[in-house]
Amino acid sequence: MRRRLDVSLRRQVPRTKVAVPGPPADLVSRPRLLAVLDRAAEAALVFVGAPAGFGKTVLLAEWARRRGRGAVAWLSADADDNDDRLFWSAVLEALGRCGRFPDGDPLRFLAVPESPSTDLAFLAELADALDTLSEPVVLVLDSAHEITSPEPWRGLRTLVRHQPAGLCLAVSSRREPPLPLGRARLADRLVEIGAERLRFTAGEAETLFAPPDPANPRDEVAPLVDRTGGWPAGLRLAAASASRHGSLWDFDTGRDSAALAYLTDEVLAPLSTAQRELLRTISVCDDVPAGLAPVLCGRADAEAMLHELSGPSVRAVDSGGTPPHRCVTPLLRTYLRAELQRRAPDRARSLHATAARWFAEHGRPASALPHSVHAGDPGQVGELLRAHAVSLFLAGEHQVLRLALAAVEDRRVAADPLAALISASLSLEAAETSAASLQLAWADAAWPDQPAAELTVLRQLAQSRLAQLDRTPAHAERAAEQIDEGTALDSLAAAHRAGALAIRGEREEARRSLEHLLAAAERLGQEFTVAHCLAALAEIACHDGDYPAMDRLARRVGTAQPRQDSPQSFQRAQAAALLAYGALVRGEPADCVTHAKRVGQLLGDAPARAARALRLLAETLRGAAEFELGGWHSGLRRMRRARRRLGTGRSCPARHAVLCAVLEHRAALRLGAAGQAKEAVRWAAPALAGSGEELLVRARTQLRLGRHHGASSVLRSLAEDEAPMTLPWAAVEATLVGVQAALAAGAPERAARLLDDALRAAEPAGIRFPFVFAPPDLVGFLTSRLGALGSGERFAGEILAVRRGLRTPPMPEPLTERERSVLRLLPTQRSIDEIAEDLTVSPNTVKTHVRGIYAKLAVRSRRDAVAIAQEHGLLDAEVPDFAG
């Protein structure tokens, strides 16, 4: 070793340069990446490589803090490290601050020669000092891209080649360093984390946007991850913008100055002038297919320049079978486009016009139309609409059509029957029947003497859809059957006719027709027709009780139109309602609530009769799920409120009315709200009449009143009369009511036989709801039968596991009707004697009821009882019977 006195030959190094950075205020720990780094114990090299803003330093610093001060030496590289002596002085200072080297260790006195990277004796002494360590030290070289001089890298390569046992070199850089990474990969001595791994997952992004800051919009996190590509810096900029402005509007529209400054300094500044100009020019396009960039920029080498860029500026796009092309990343594109629009609006319009012509010439009208709109060229917009509106409608490009039609004046739409019919069709897909009726009237007023066949069929389709949404099933059936054939709209017309078959009850024929149409529409790329067929098939599966198929089909509806960005969509709302229904049937109330909320978002305030009925269904399902999650009173209140808003039970399809009544009746009885249970049944009486569900609610009521013989008698009638069940899962529910009645009658053998029947019927369709949310006595009986259930054993185990996972609190003891009457009078401040007089009972009886109320609501005072009753909706007045 070199002598102690030579240590003065080292260069002075700032302490902050060799200190592990502290955690940022918004640190998101990333265990999945830390676990990868922890595998570096047996590796010679660690490389964390990605462009700016990917969190390389934050990740390595957290890893270093976890390993402890003694195990890690940290060096933050900068431009000064291109001085070879300063670099190695900093390396020795970082190692010296590491606890692995005691005070007297020779490494602390190793001097730095004039040319350390070529001084083999110096490097050998350093390697020897590292070899003597009992445990290896990790030397982190952060921001290594700052070192552009070859000398430091030459010395590092020599050191790594010696592979000292006591050293693991961890490098973070925006580009691959000149180290023997290939050799380390082959020898399995390299731990590597690249940009793809560093991108935030949705879960990590949710942690970043977590409380306590209420300005951070948690429900917008998943779309934000898509827009930023999971780029950590982009997500942090979004979170900071939301905190400053109270929403993401400034960030999403390219108006956040802090985000613009970061993108300018960290993403654009390292690029050449030509590269920055290229990105600004092509930012007018979301998609830049091969051949477009040179036309927009006037540069033959534009595509070659794009291929050199990556990271947060440019991303590759899979173009389906051809080599992927590249486009500006969404976040940077937003800010570049906004800046171009502010500083050079005429140039922006010119670029849009060029892009519109290019896309139109290359047979891509869905891309050409938005550019024509942004170019301010209504003539080209009209020309593209006349040529491609129908094919775009069938392809599901509805948002593009809405944008184009919005750019055309209403008087021009009204004067053009094709534009008016497309407008009406789009309105109908958002369940905006009032607007659609007006647009159909426009089309009728401008109807030509000799209309093209396609125009006639388009009008017939719009009328059929209007009948489905706002009229009776008979109207919808007749309208669907009158649609002509022989145009590009044939597949959609056939789907409407198949829907008419389903209305008539010919579901098997309808299913076969829809499956054939679905395959044809998928081949033709008619995504709207695909979604239409999937939605109709999901409804048929629901009607048949094939809930797994219903769920699969409904999920496909949501992905059948990936470019459908309209906030309102009746088809997707239908699919979301079916997904909510399926989740409830499976015994997954939390998922049911999520899907039911989505229905409201997709419907908006659409006035159509079908939209109102769908809202009722979604709110009832949500209320039932909330009830089973422990929101007993709030869930029941939600169901009643939804029913009251709709009006009479005749205002919705009979199946919806039956489902809503059966769910509300079930919950109301369990909570002791007999009045609400009766009200729900009266509301749905026309739909329930003659159905198996009518007998089911009667059996439930008998059982609730303690009349188990009466319940069994009603259920025997159900079996003997073979009353049809509207809801397939309700047959399982009826069998379980029979189990409860048998148990109450002291007939365990009959109860066991019925339980076996219920499990056999429920398992193929995955019907868990009646079991998972069954009363404790029935669940206890099911548990006692484990080991004796035969083929139903596995399914019973699933049911009990789901029930345990919910951890629902025990249901409170229900208030009696008399206790409810007393409770409603407590807020009036009447005395006990006055309440007794109002109810024509004795004061002692009122006092007994009050004590019962206090016990059941877990309160000690009248004021607390009133507060809890108001919170739970227990003071709501009874509603009158609905007519009819």
Side-chain angles (χ1 to χ4, degrees):
M1 281 281 175
R2 297 167 189 253
R3 292 177 298 169
R4 179 187 296 266
L5 58 85
D6 289 339
V7 75
S8 62
L9 296 177
R10 293 188 191 177
R11 297 285 297 275
Q12 188 80 15
V13 177
R15 182 164 296 194
T16 55
K17 186 178 177 69
V18 291
V20 178
D26 59 353
L27 174 68
V28 175
S29 184
R30 311 183 76 183
R32 64 183 179 89
L33 299 180
L34 294 171
V36 175
L37 292 173
D38 284 339
R39 295 200 292 270
E42 301 176 2
L45 279 171
V46 173
F47 176 47
V48 181
F54 274 87
K56 303 181 293 295
T57 299
V58 173
L59 174 65
L60 285 174
E62 184 184 6
W63 183 51
R65 289 191 296 273
R66 277 165 46 104
R67 292 181 66 88
R69 184 173 178 271
V72 177
W74 185 280
L75 172 55
S76 298
D78 53 38
D80 292 341
D81 290 302
N82 289 299
D83 181 321
D84 198 29
R85 285 189 65 216
L86 179 60
F87 171 75
W88 286 104
S89 296
V91 169
L92 293 177
E93 181 67 22
L95 291 170
R97 288 171 59 85
C98 173
R100 290 279 192 266
F101 299 95
D103 289 343
D105 192 283
L107 180 135
R108 293 182 176 276
F109 311 110
L110 183 60
V112 178
E114 196 66 37
S115 299
S117 288
T118 56
D119 191 320
L120 298 181
F122 165 74
L123 295 173
E125 287 183 85
L126 177 54
D128 290 343
L130 292 166
D131 265 329
T132 62
L133 293 176
S134 58
E135 293 184 69
V137 63
V138 176
L139 172 61
V140 176
L141 180 58
D142 188 38
S143 299
H145 54 271
E146 296 282 356
I147 305 174
T148 56
S149 172
E151 283 78 11
W153 291 113
R154 184 181 298 122
L156 278 174
R157 280 196 301 273
T158 303
L159 185 63
V160 170
R161 191 164 56 246
H162 287 307
Q163 291 189 346
L167 176 67
C168 172
L169 178 62
V171 178
S172 83
S173 175
R174 294 182 183 179
R175 52 184 172 269
E176 190 165 303
L179 292 171
L181 300 186
R183 186 186 309 162
R185 285 191 190 101
L186 287 174
D188 199 23
R189 301 264 295 171
L190 175 68
V191 171
E192 196 167 6
I193 297 178
E196 286 308 309
R197 273 182 164 177
L198 287 166
R199 296 182 192 278
F200 269 29
T201 64
E204 289 166 341
E206 285 177 2
T207 302
L208 179 65
F209 280 81
D213 190 346
N216 286 338
R218 296 290 300 279
D219 58 337
E220 297 182 39
V221 171
L224 186 61
V225 171
D226 290 338
R227 291 199 299 277
T228 59
W231 183 39
L235 290 164
R236 286 194 160 91
L237 289 167
S241 179
S243 295
R244 284 193 305 274
H245 304 294
S247 74
L248 281 171
W249 189 83
D250 287 86
F251 181 80
D252 287 340
T253 55
R255 289 172 169 80
D256 187 277
S257 57
L260 177 60
Y262 183 90
L263 292 169
T264 301
D265 295 342
E266 297 294 334
V267 178
L268 295 175
L271 305 180
S272 68
T273 302
Q275 288 173 323
R276 290 196 296 271
E277 183 57 28
L278 169 66
L279 294 180
R280 287 193 185 95
T281 300
I282 66 171
S283 70
V284 297
C285 296
D286 294 345
D287 186 29
V288 189
L292 176 55
V295 173
L296 286 173
C297 302
R299 294 183 62 115
D301 62 346
E303 290 184 1
M305 289 172 64
L306 277 176
H307 278 267
E308 295 173 2
L309 297 169
S310 62
S313 59
V314 167
R315 71 175 182 184
V317 178
D318 185 1
S319 45
T322 60
H325 57 268
R326 283 163 169 74
C327 65
V328 184
T329 53
L331 178 59
L332 182 61
R333 183 171 68 232
T334 296
Y335 279 81
L336 290 175
R337 189 181 290 174
E339 186 181 26
L340 181 65
Q341 189 62 43
R342 283 194 302 269
R343 296 188 176 185
D346 290 341
R347 182 168 181 246
R349 283 192 292 272
S350 174
L351 289 170
H352 279 299
T354 301
R357 286 192 297 273
W358 190 92
F359 280 116
E361 289 166 1
H362 287 77
R364 296 185 55 174
S367 298
L369 263 173
H371 284 294
S372 295
V373 171
H374 294 310
D377 189 346
Q380 189 177 34
V381 171
E383 184 179 331
L384 288 167
L385 281 174
R386 283 188 291 276
H388 303 289
V390 171
S391 61
L392 289 173
F393 180 77
L394 291 173
E397 296 286 1
H398 294 180
Q399 193 63 7
V400 168
L401 289 169
R402 287 187 177 94
L403 177 68
L405 288 166
V408 180
E409 296 177 9
D410 278 353
R411 61 181 179 83
R412 296 195 178 190
V413 173
D416 183 342
L418 175 62
L421 288 173
I422 291 293
S423 295
S425 299
L426 294 172
S427 295
L428 289 168
E429 290 318 302
E432 291 287 353
T433 49
S434 301
S437 296
L438 174 62
Q439 290 148 354
L440 279 169
W442 288 350
D444 289 342
W447 201 249
D449 294 334
Q450 295 182 326
E454 192 171 69
L455 199 63
T456 299
V457 173
L458 187 60
R459 180 165 68 170
Q460 291 169 341
L461 282 168
Q463 291 167 339
S464 173
R465 188 61 170 157
L466 181 61
Q468 288 176 357
L469 291 172
D470 224 20
R471 295 178 189 164
T472 66
H475 279 106
E477 185 182 347
R478 284 196 299 272
E481 290 173 343
Q482 292 169 1
I483 302 173
D484 296 339
E485 297 181 359
T487 71
L489 293 157
D490 275 357
S491 58
L492 186 56
H496 277 251
R497 286 191 289 272
L501 290 175
I503 292 172
R504 283 204 302 266
E506 299 174 31
R507 292 194 299 278
E508 190 54 42
E509 185 178 347
R511 181 187 291 106
R512 286 196 300 269
S513 177
L514 287 165
E515 287 172 348
H516 173 74
L517 292 168
L518 174 62
E522 287 176 329
R523 285 195 303 272
L524 295 170
Q526 295 182 348
E527 292 178 0
F528 174 68
T529 306
V530 167
H532 192 94
C533 292
L534 289 170
L537 285 167
E539 287 282 356
I540 292 172
C542 175
H543 197 287
D544 289 345
D546 189 352
Y547 300 115
M550 175 193 78
D551 194 75
R552 288 193 302 271
L553 292 161
R555 289 184 188 281
R556 287 181 62 191
V557 173
T559 59
Q561 292 172 265
R563 294 180 296 279
Q564 175 85 306
D565 298 323
S566 173
Q568 289 182 217
S569 169
F570 186 77
Q571 264 180 358
R572 288 186 176 184
Q574 283 180 301
L578 291 176
L579 290 173
Y581 187 23
L584 190 67
V585 169
R586 291 193 305 275
E588 298 170 0
D591 284 351
C592 176
V593 170
T594 299
H595 292 303
K597 287 180 179 177
R598 180 72 174 141
V599 174
Q601 295 166 356
L602 288 165
L603 285 178
D605 57 357
R609 171 178 173 165
R612 297 195 302 271
L614 201 55
R615 284 193 203 96
L616 165 70
L617 178 61
E619 282 295 282
T620 300
L621 291 168
R622 181 178 172 184
E626 289 175 350
F627 182 90
E628 302 300 351
L629 286 167
W632 319 110
H633 299 286
S634 61
L636 196 55
R637 190 165 63 247
R638 182 181 296 279
M639 288 188 270
R640 181 172 58 184
R641 186 168 58 238
R643 174 170 46 77
R644 287 175 172 179
R645 284 175 179 167
L646 185 67
T648 69
R650 289 197 176 99
S651 300
C652 67
R655 292 181 65 250
H656 287 193
V658 170
L659 175 60
C660 293
V662 167
L663 289 175
E664 188 178 355
H665 178 269
R666 182 180 190 276
L669 275 190
R670 289 181 64 196
L671 202 58
Q676 183 171 343
K678 292 176 186 175
E679 178 190 315
V681 172
R682 287 197 300 268
W683 174 83
L688 283 169
S691 70
E693 284 78 10
E694 182 181 28
L695 297 178
L696 169 61
V697 297
R698 284 172 52 194
R700 278 182 188 158
T701 304
Q702 291 291 309
L703 190 63
R704 184 68 185 179
L705 293 172
R707 301 169 185 166
H708 52 82
H709 292 300
S712 297
S713 176
V714 171
L715 291 172
R716 279 196 299 274
S717 299
L718 175 59
E720 292 168 1
D721 296 341
E722 297 183 350
M725 279 287 186
T726 305
L727 313 170
W729 65 266
V732 176
E733 170 90 355
T735 306
L736 291 181
V737 172
V739 173
Q740 291 177 266
L743 290 173
E749 296 83 3
R750 179 156 54 93
R753 187 175 64 255
L754 289 170
L755 180 61
D756 290 344
D757 291 344
L759 288 169
R760 277 195 300 273
E763 184 173 10
I767 299 170
R768 299 196 193 101
F769 171 72
F771 299 92
V772 172
F773 306 118
D777 59 335
L778 197 151
V779 175
F781 183 64
L782 174 62
T783 305
S784 72
R785 293 278 299 155
L786 290 176
L789 292 171
S791 60
E793 195 76 31
R794 184 188 63 81
F795 189 55
E798 287 180 10
I799 289 165
L800 294 173
V802 171
R803 183 180 173 92
R804 284 193 301 272
L806 289 173
R807 297 177 181 174
T808 304
M811 180 178 287
E813 186 180 353
L815 298 174
T816 66
E817 284 302 308
R818 182 58 76 179
E819 285 170 342
R820 285 174 174 268
S821 298
V822 172
L823 179 59
R824 292 189 191 100
L825 293 174
L826 291 184
T828 65
Q829 299 300 314
R830 287 182 173 87
S831 67
I832 294 296
D833 290 341
E834 290 170 331
I835 291 175
E837 185 178 347
D838 284 348
L839 297 178
T840 65
V841 296
S842 72
N844 285 337
T845 299
V846 173
K847 289 176 183 178
T848 300
H849 291 322
V850 170
R851 284 195 296 270
I853 291 168
Y854 287 2
K856 291 175 180 179
L857 297 184
V859 298
R860 294 183 177 180
S861 69
R862 184 170 181 165
R863 182 177 64 182
D864 290 344
V866 171
I868 292 293
Q870 287 174 333
E871 179 184 345
H872 291 167
L874 300 177
L875 301 178
D876 293 355
E878 295 291 334
V879 298
D881 293 349
F882 288 106

